[in-house]
Structures are given as structure tokens and as C-alpha cells.
Amino acid sequence: MDFVEGKFELREIQKLEGHTDRVWGLAWNPSNPSMLASCSGDKTVRIWERKPNQKTWQCKAVLEETHTRTVRSCAWSPSGKLLAGSSFDATTSIWEHVGDDMECVATLEGHENEVKSVSWNSSGSLLATCGRDKSVWIWEVQPGNEFECASVLQGHTQDVKMVQWHPCMDVLVSVSYDNSIKVWVEEDNGADDWHCVQTLGESSGGHSSTVWALSFNNAGDRMVTCSDDLCVKIWDTGNDPTQSSSDGLTPWKHLCTLSGYHDRTIFSVHWSREGVIASGAADDAIRLFVENSSDLVGGQSFVMFLKKEKAHEMDVNSVQWNPKDVRMLASASDDGTIKIWELAEVS
Amino acid sequence: MTLGLINANPVVHAKKERIARVEDSHADDAVDPLEIYDSVRDIRDPEHPYSLEQLSVLSEESITVDEKLGRILITFTPTIQHCSMATVIGLCLRAKLMRCFPPHYKVDIYVSPGSHANEESVNKQLNDKERVAAALENPNLRQLVDECLYSNEL
């Protein structure tokens, strides 16, 4: 299927209302594509679910009284059994399904102040968090819902906005207010020593202002990042990130920059399983990009094939494709709402 | 307070005459720069019993509105180059605008060019909405901001 401008539209399926402050983050449950978690400045996480044979999503649970400040980010474990939420109150919570409810089973403490992002690795054995204290923490998931800090990674010079694991390798990427992207791997000595193997900064084709988010494609050989510099950047992540210094070449490389599309900060990017990149920005719009297949000149280029103006009444903070239903997109906004969209052919 | 004042002897200017703004005819929620000025001119400076207008941190020219794009731009001038209160002043402006004007307006706040030693970093911080949100959740900062917004000691 070719994604060509004018042939597709984003059709609003439902608007989910309930949060009483801006919605910061979204996470689809990987094992249940009808379940979505959202987190907000109202200090809560909400679980939304579409029951079988029903058309609409409903709020199934409000996880409140766990956090005392904004919940900035949420993420399901790969099994879909555990949900992690990171908060400005300096803690990260883990909730587990207990019958029809969700119960807080662990609280991860260690960051000095605001925790801004949380991510599970592909096997669910590790968790990463990051925050305003400029550090990235790696936690080992142990039996009985115990979480032990395995490593505290220092290297960023300003607050760290987001962490995200590679989809198949234990390689962690962090992005920061210091404008850089860092790639972290565990040393081979089995001593839980993690170190930074590459820093992608402005001199390596990177961003010139705060990097807000990143996402990998399905295969993990491409990464997309977005920034306050109004650019979306695509990176070649096909090489082993640890094979760096021998030939002097950097393993992960800048491929191309998508500029001139956004005119306010881009807060979120997400790569769908069928290769569509969605971006959400402070101009209230959602944009969709695909690789330009007609470009025979070599090198890689991406084109925007859809722009949904006024997707929300205020900034779009998060865009997330459904892991199973590849044409379904969720978006979250400062306007306090979440929208479910379908990418459909214009009829 | 054990620390000395950042700027112990600021120059204080007279308040400008209050002009009763004529209610304009447009019925929509259009925003007028002077209306914004009226709402922020009396914010108290974080370390002096004077308003931002009296200290010439703000003037009518500080505010521009792009009605078509729905944007508000405020440029303020800290009293001294090394003013560590610049970010607090910026927070006060943001907090005030959040309360008084339609939330869909995009607000950009900058220190005027050349007016601050760390111009770039102050501007970056004031326009990072996550840091602003976190700062306004911080009880100590929140109290400081509220005191500047609601002070009647002028």
C-alpha cells in the first residue's frame, strides 16, 4: 500500500474525556490491543478499555492516590501484566492486574526529583528511568515484584527527557534538554556496568535544541527523534553500537532531517509497524511521514503524506500507534483529552 | 533571608496612567496586547515592593499578539544582567496568562536581547513547558509566584 498525499485521512473514532489536567503520555497494552493507559498532570493514570463486541472505549480504572504530582510517562511491560508510571514526585510506580483491578505492587525510589520517562526492555527483565537530576537509572526486575537498581548512568549535562530500549537488543537510548542523544550498553564483564558508547550531538548531524522523544522502527535498524529545534531526524541504527572505535567510524549515523514541517516544538514521534512515522507537536497538529519510495537518487528521504491540523485544541504531547491494529493511532493533549484515530483511505 | 538582594538599588519609575480601555466591538475571544499588559503590569517583582511596570521590566511594547496564529509574545527586561530572578519573573508571567487568557493561545516568553548574561539558557527554560509545569508544582516556587501575583503591598 502506497501512502500518497491526498489518499488518506485520519478519522477520529473517539474522544476520551476524564483527565482533569493535561495528558502527557499514552501506552497501548502490548498483549491487549483494546487497552490503553494514559497519564496526566492530574496525578493519575487512567486505564481505558474497549470490551469485545463494543465500539467505544471506556475508562476502566483511575489509578489515583499513588502519586502526589504529575505522572509524566507510563509504559506496559512486554507481557502486558505490569504497568509502570513515572512521576514528578521522584518515584516510579509499578501496578499489576489483580482480578479486574490494578494494584500498586512496587515503588521505585532513587531519583532526586522529577522522573520524566520509563521504559521496559524487550524481554521485560530491565526497566530504565530518567529525570531532571540528569541521570538514567537501570533497574533489574526480580521475582516477587522486586526491583533492584543495577546502574546509575551519568553523562547528560541537563535533564533527561526520555529513555527508550531498542526493540530487540539490550541497548538503551536517552534524549535530553542538553540537545544530545546517548546510546548505552552493558559492559561485557557481567558486573552490571553500563556505559555510553555513542553520543549523537549537533556535530554528528543531531539536534540543536532539546530532544523530546525517540522511537525505533519495527526491525530496530532505524530510529526517529524529534526536537524543540522543529526537526524530525532519522538515524541508521543497523550497526552493532558497540563496534565503534576500531575503525574510527561511528556505528549509528544520521540519515536525514525532516525540517520545514513544524513551526512549534515537536513533543512526540512514533513509528508504526508498517513504517508510518507519526509526530505530535505544540502546533496542535499530527503529521504522518513515510519513506519516499520513488527516490532513486540514493540516500534516504521521507515525505509527509498527511497533516491533521487542529487534531486537538492545544499541544499534542504524545502519539502512539496501536501495536496490533496498525492503522489505529492514539493522541494525548494539553486540552485534557485523548483521541483515537483511524488512518483510512479517503472514501 | 540571609542572602543579599540581587539588585539592592533598582531604579523605580512612575506608574503609567491607567487608561480605561474601551471594550472593543469584536465579540469573539480576541486578545488585545494592552489587555494583556493591564493584567501583568502590576505583578510584583520577586525581590522588591515594586511592580514590574515600576521597574521597567515590562512596558506596553513588551507584548505582541498574533491573532491569526493565536500567539502571544512577551519580552521582558530584567533590572540587571545577572538577575537570578529572571526565571521567577517569567514563571509569574506564565502563571498569570494561564489564568486570565484562553488556554489555546501559544505563549512565548523571552528576556529582551542583550538584557541578561544567560539569555539563551533563561529563554530555553522559560519556554520548556515541562520544566514550567514542574516548577509550578514545586510548593516553594508556587508560593513565591503567588506572592508576586497577589501581593497588595504595592
Side-chain angles (χ1 to χ4, degrees):
Chain A
M1 175 71 61
D2 276 351
F3 291 104
V4 183
E5 199 167 353
K7 276 200 173 171
F8 285 84
E9 62 182 349
L10 266 185
R11 216 172 276 158
E12 185 180 325
I13 299 178
Q14 199 185 335
K15 179 156 86 173
L16 309 182
E17 294 174 294
H19 280 297
T20 56
D21 199 314
R22 63 159 59 102
V23 189
W24 278 111
L26 295 170
W28 289 101
N29 187 321
S31 69
N32 178 358
S34 301
M35 186 181 280
L36 178 72
S38 61
C39 58
S40 161
D42 68 11
K43 309 178 180 109
T44 72
V45 171
R46 281 178 177 254
I47 310 290
W48 311 83
E49 193 176 21
R50 182 174 62 173
K51 293 260 160 59
N53 309 321
Q54 284 190 349
K55 278 190 175 165
T56 58
W57 273 265
Q58 302 201 324
C59 183
K60 188 189 166 202
V62 182
L63 311 181
E64 52 194 347
E65 287 168 12
T66 302
H67 288 292
T68 55
R69 291 183 55 186
T70 286
V71 187
R72 174 65 181 88
S73 150
C74 55
W76 293 97
S77 63
S79 68
K81 288 181 181 149
L82 299 174
L83 177 68
S86 63
S87 167
F88 285 0
D89 68 12
T91 69
T92 301
S93 296
I94 310 290
W95 289 275
E96 186 178 26
H97 294 282
V98 177
D100 221 24
D101 291 327
M102 295 206 74
E103 240 171 52
C104 181
V105 292
T107 303
L108 282 55
E109 294 175 4
H111 281 285
E112 281 172 35
N113 40 43
E114 292 91 337
V115 191
K116 299 193 165 177
S117 174
V118 57
S119 172
W120 300 83
N121 71 341
S122 58
S123 68
S125 63
L126 297 170
L127 194 70
T129 57
C130 65
R132 184 157 75 96
D133 61 11
K134 305 169 190 170
S135 67
V136 173
W137 290 51
I138 297 189
W139 309 80
E140 264 171 31
V141 184
Q142 296 178 331
N145 290 322
E146 293 286 329
F147 292 78
E148 188 175 300
C149 174
S151 199
V152 177
L153 314 180
Q154 309 283 356
H156 282 293
T157 58
Q158 295 285 344
D159 58 326
V160 188
K161 294 296 195 187
M162 183 179 178
V163 280
Q164 179 73 50
W165 291 92
H166 186 278
C168 28
M169 296 185 289
D170 280 344
V171 172
L172 182 71
V173 180
S174 58
V175 297
S176 166
Y177 186 89
D178 70 11
N179 308 350
S180 78
I181 302 159
K182 283 185 180 286
V183 186
W184 310 85
V185 297
E186 190 174 12
E187 303 228 29
D188 240 351
N189 59 10
D192 284 343
D193 287 332
W194 289 73
H195 67 293
C196 177
V197 287
Q198 206 178 345
T199 300
L200 304 168
E202 202 171 356
S203 59
S204 18
H207 292 285
S208 59
S209 189
T210 303
V211 191
W212 278 96
L214 78 127
S215 172
F216 283 96
N217 69 348
N218 203 29
D221 61 350
R222 294 285 183 274
M223 175 176 79
V224 60
T225 52
C226 65
S227 164
D228 179 55
D229 69 5
L230 313 182
C231 292
V232 169
K233 287 181 185 277
I234 315 284
W235 305 83
D236 179 349
T237 57
N239 289 325
D240 180 347
T242 58
Q243 302 301 311
S244 51
S245 47
S246 54
D247 56 356
L249 294 174
T250 51
W252 288 10
K253 286 186 190 68
H254 171 252
L255 269 185
C256 67
T257 297
L258 285 63
S259 60
Y261 294 104
H262 303 80
D263 61 355
R264 306 277 302 173
T265 306
I266 312 159
F267 291 118
S268 179
V269 278
H270 195 233
W271 213 316
S272 83
R273 287 166 63 96
E274 58 173 353
V276 179
I277 297 170
S279 70
D283 59 9
D284 312 343
I286 295 172
R287 292 169 181 77
L288 303 181
F289 302 88
V290 278
E291 193 171 343
N292 187 358
S293 49
S294 63
D295 189 2
L296 303 172
V297 190
Q300 217 165 11
S301 70
F302 282 75
V303 287
M304 183 177 80
F305 72 96
L306 197 154
K307 178 181 179 184
K308 184 72 184 175
E309 305 249 27
K310 289 277 155 217
H312 282 273
E313 280 170 35
M314 294 169 69
D315 296 6
V316 181
N317 295 323
S318 179
V319 281
Q320 289 290 310
W321 292 102
N322 188 297
K324 300 259 165 59
D325 191 345
V326 294
R327 296 279 169 88
M328 184 183 287
L329 181 75
S331 60
S333 166
D334 275 1
D335 67 16
T337 72
I338 298 151
K339 285 185 179 179
I340 311 286
W341 308 86
E342 184 191 6
L343 175 58
E345 283 189 75
V346 176
S347 45
Chain B
M1 195 135 148
T2 52
L3 292 167
L5 293 175
I6 308 293
N7 181 5
N9 296 298
V11 182
V12 181
H13 304 262
K15 288 186 190 181
K16 293 209 177 56
E17 196 188 336
R18 304 282 141 146
I19 301 157
R21 314 276 182 215
V22 183
E23 272 303 314
D24 41 28
S25 51
H26 40 227
D28 52 20
D29 60 355
V31 167
D32 176 10
L34 291 176
E35 196 185 329
I36 297 172
Y37 183 64
D38 281 347
S39 78
V40 294
R41 65 201 289 183
D42 291 330
I43 293 174
R44 203 200 66 190
D45 183 85
E47 59 168 26
H48 295 291
Y50 300 111
S51 71
L52 296 182
E53 178 185 46
Q54 284 174 302
L55 297 177
S56 285
V57 171
L58 286 175
S59 70
E60 289 180 3
E61 292 74 43
S62 308
I63 294 149
T64 54
V65 176
D66 185 326
E67 194 63 52
K68 195 164 146 253
L69 290 173
R71 292 185 182 181
I72 297 171
L73 171 65
I74 303 186
T75 309
F76 68 98
T77 307
T79 54
I80 48 165
Q81 284 260 323
H82 293 273
C83 183
S84 60
M85 291 292 163
T87 49
V88 178
I89 295 173
L91 274 182
C92 291
L93 292 169
R94 251 186 211 288
K96 184 78 187 185
L97 261 62
M98 270 180 217
R99 270 170 224 174
C100 300
F101 293 94
H104 61 263
Y105 274 90
K106 308 289 181 187
V107 181
D108 293 310
I109 298 180
Y110 297 105
V111 292
S112 58
S115 71
H116 199 280
N118 301 317
E119 185 176 327
E120 203 178 326
S121 86
V122 170
N123 287 342
K124 189 172 185 178
Q125 205 175 327
L126 284 178
N127 293 289
D128 180 319
K129 72 171 185 185
E130 188 185 57
R131 291 178 71 131
V132 170
L136 292 176
E137 279 186 9
N138 176 318
N140 297 330
L141 266 172
R142 181 87 233 182
Q143 191 186 347
L144 186 55
V145 166
D146 284 344
E147 281 169 10
C148 294
L149 294 191
Y150 301 116
S151 169
N152 293 316
E153 297 162 24
L154 294 171

